[in-house]
Amino acid sequence: MPKLWNETIEAHRRAVRDATLDTTAALVAKHGLLSVTMARIAEETGIGRATLYKYFPDVEAILVAWHERQVTGHLEHLIAIRDRGGTPGERLKAVLEAYAFVSHEHHGTELAARLHRGEHVAQAQQQLSRLVSDLLAEGARIGDIRDDVAPDELATYCLHALAAASSLPSNAAVRRLVAVTLAGLRPPRASRR
Amino acid sequence: MPKLWNETIEAHRRAVRDATLDTTAALVAKHGLLSVTMARIAEETGIGRATLYKYFPDVEAILVAWHERQVTGHLEHLIAIRDRGGTPGERLKAVLEAYAFVSHEHHGTELAARLHRGEHVAQAQQQLSRLVSDLLAEGARIGDIRDDVAPDELATYCLHALAAASSLPSNAAVRRLVAVTLAGLRPPRASRR
């Protein structure tokens, strides 16, 4: 049964890969980037060093792969939230809040800054901008969102504003940031125009 | 007249330093960071290489000094705008717009990202946050700015949102970003609470 055999091989490879990513991320979080070596990762995972090198050339490559997996996971999470249903306003708020919490929990470190220069991040940012921009366009059509500024510009505003979550001290502060950011998106008051 | 002599020396040193910063910045902007060497800078400025090395150990140090001068200049510019007078609302808008244009004109490059990791940037960011936070507190006292979120949190929101200006295509788009960001700062409408 070659098909089953291939599937088993594939599942095994994925398991080795996932274990390597998880272990490396945990080691870096605990001991810092500079003290984590391939030998240490091999030891912790129980994978032989020679095998480990067949999967990844160095620690940096493992971290990039780990970060790609994180970014993909976050994007899938945001897409799932978007697809959960509710009014366009509710879905927009839920997606922006989830994004703000991702920024709050995962960023603001030197390692994050390094990993964020990768190509996979630029692609994910584009997908995210598109996702938010589509929600904003939907909101603008029903009069929930201002239509005097294009949805893609509003998306740029949103994502930058919400990145402030990485430097906020509490979940309550993150929720206030989302409320303030959303307030910027509403149709201008007639008296203010 | 030792005092005059000292002043002359000091003025000369400042002139050499300024010429070095200007020339290096121009060379890097034109040819890219990697193709600019100390020899090239010495040649362009007409300062001897030995003299140049008495001022700066390497190109990186010159760029950091240049960036410090830029950051200080931008901060002084924003302070001057704040002090120009007008209502608190007008001054806040003028400062935020000026900051957005600084982001729009000077940032979004690889070099900017590198230089922004410096200590002097962190200090300037703190001063800027304080400046904006004080204006927001003043606006909140007279009911122009929402008071349900602390001024320092609102300042964090503002500065992150306006950093989006670095990726906007036009001055008109920057002005729209400022308008959207300001809208987030207004007291919430009663009907929306």
Side-chain angles (χ1 to χ4, degrees):
Chain A
M1 287 177 287
K3 197 178 162 220
L4 186 60
W5 176 242
N6 282 340
E7 274 169 15
T8 308
I9 292 279
E10 189 45 47
H12 172 74
R13 286 201 180 124
R14 227 176 9 246
V16 170
R17 197 181 143 86
D18 279 344
T20 306
L21 304 189
D22 293 339
T23 302
T24 307
L27 283 172
V28 169
K30 200 170 169 193
H31 305 288
L33 179 58
L34 294 179
S35 70
V36 177
T37 59
M38 292 293 270
R40 184 87 182 262
I41 294 163
E43 195 189 314
E44 286 276 332
T45 50
I47 300 167
R49 270 183 72 177
T51 308
L52 182 58
Y53 277 104
K54 280 185 197 150
Y55 283 80
F56 297 103
D58 51 33
V59 177
E60 181 88 12
I62 301 176
L63 283 173
V64 168
W66 169 79
H67 193 246
E68 281 181 10
R69 199 184 60 178
Q70 291 285 101
V71 166
T72 304
H74 292 150
L75 206 54
E76 283 166 0
H77 175 55
L78 296 177
I79 289 168
I81 286 172
R82 177 197 66 190
D83 293 342
R84 229 181 243 167
T87 67
E90 286 164 355
R91 288 155 66 217
L92 178 67
K93 188 185 169 191
V95 166
L96 295 186
E97 195 164 281
Y99 175 70
F101 277 109
V102 167
S103 295
H104 180 56
E105 285 154 25
H106 297 283
H107 298 92
T109 62
E110 177 67 20
L111 179 61
R114 261 177 91 136
L115 290 170
H116 267 248
R117 271 169 271 145
E119 175 62 24
H120 63 286
V121 174
Q123 278 179 21
Q125 285 284 356
Q126 269 190 344
Q127 284 180 269
L128 179 59
S129 291
R130 176 75 62 88
L131 188 159
V132 171
S133 180
D134 287 349
L135 285 170
L136 290 166
E138 205 178 334
R141 271 194 298 277
I142 59 168
D144 242 19
I145 297 295
R146 61 195 308 158
D147 61 3
D148 58 339
V149 178
D152 60 330
E153 277 183 32
L154 290 178
T156 303
Y157 151 79
C158 276
L159 297 177
H160 277 84
L162 296 174
S166 67
S167 61
L168 290 177
S170 68
N171 288 355
V174 173
R175 282 195 201 92
R176 288 191 291 270
L177 173 68
V178 174
V180 169
T181 304
L182 281 168
L185 297 171
R186 289 188 193 126
R189 282 171 259 202
S191 63
R192 296 268 184 175
R193 296 193 92 167
Chain B
M1 287 178 286
K3 197 179 164 218
L4 187 60
W5 175 245
N6 282 339
E7 275 170 16
T8 308
I9 292 278
E10 188 46 47
H12 172 74
R13 285 200 182 125
R14 223 170 18 238
V16 171
R17 198 181 140 85
D18 278 345
T20 306
L21 303 189
D22 293 338
T23 303
T24 306
L27 283 173
V28 169
K30 200 169 167 194
H31 305 289
L33 179 58
L34 293 178
S35 68
V36 177
T37 60
M38 292 294 271
R40 184 86 182 261
I41 294 164
E43 194 188 316
E44 286 275 334
T45 50
I47 301 166
R49 272 183 69 174
T51 307
L52 182 60
Y53 276 105
K54 280 185 198 151
Y55 284 80
F56 297 102
D58 51 33
V59 178
E60 181 88 14
I62 302 177
L63 283 173
V64 168
W66 169 80
H67 194 245
E68 281 181 11
R69 200 184 60 178
Q70 291 286 102
V71 166
T72 304
H74 292 150
L75 206 53
E76 282 167 359
H77 174 57
L78 296 177
I79 289 168
I81 287 172
R82 178 198 64 191
D83 294 341
R84 228 181 246 167
T87 66
E90 286 164 355
R91 290 156 66 217
L92 178 68
K93 188 185 169 192
V95 167
L96 295 187
E97 196 163 280
Y99 175 70
F101 277 109
V102 167
S103 295
H104 181 55
E105 284 153 25
H106 296 283
H107 297 92
T109 62
E110 178 65 22
L111 178 61
R114 262 177 92 136
L115 290 169
H116 268 249
R117 271 168 270 146
E119 176 60 25
H120 65 287
V121 174
Q123 277 178 21
Q125 285 284 355
Q126 268 188 344
Q127 284 179 268
L128 179 59
S129 289
R130 177 75 60 90
L131 189 159
V132 171
S133 180
D134 288 349
L135 284 170
L136 290 166
E138 205 178 335
R141 271 194 298 277
I142 59 169
D144 243 17
I145 297 294
R146 61 195 308 158
D147 61 3
D148 58 339
V149 179
D152 62 329
E153 275 182 33
L154 290 179
T156 302
Y157 151 78
C158 275
L159 297 177
H160 276 84
L162 295 173
S166 68
S167 62
L168 290 177
S170 68
N171 289 355
V174 173
R175 283 195 200 91
R176 287 192 291 271
L177 174 67
V178 174
V180 169
T181 304
L182 281 167
L185 297 171
R186 291 192 189 121
R189 282 170 258 203
S191 64
R192 295 270 184 175
R193 293 194 92 165

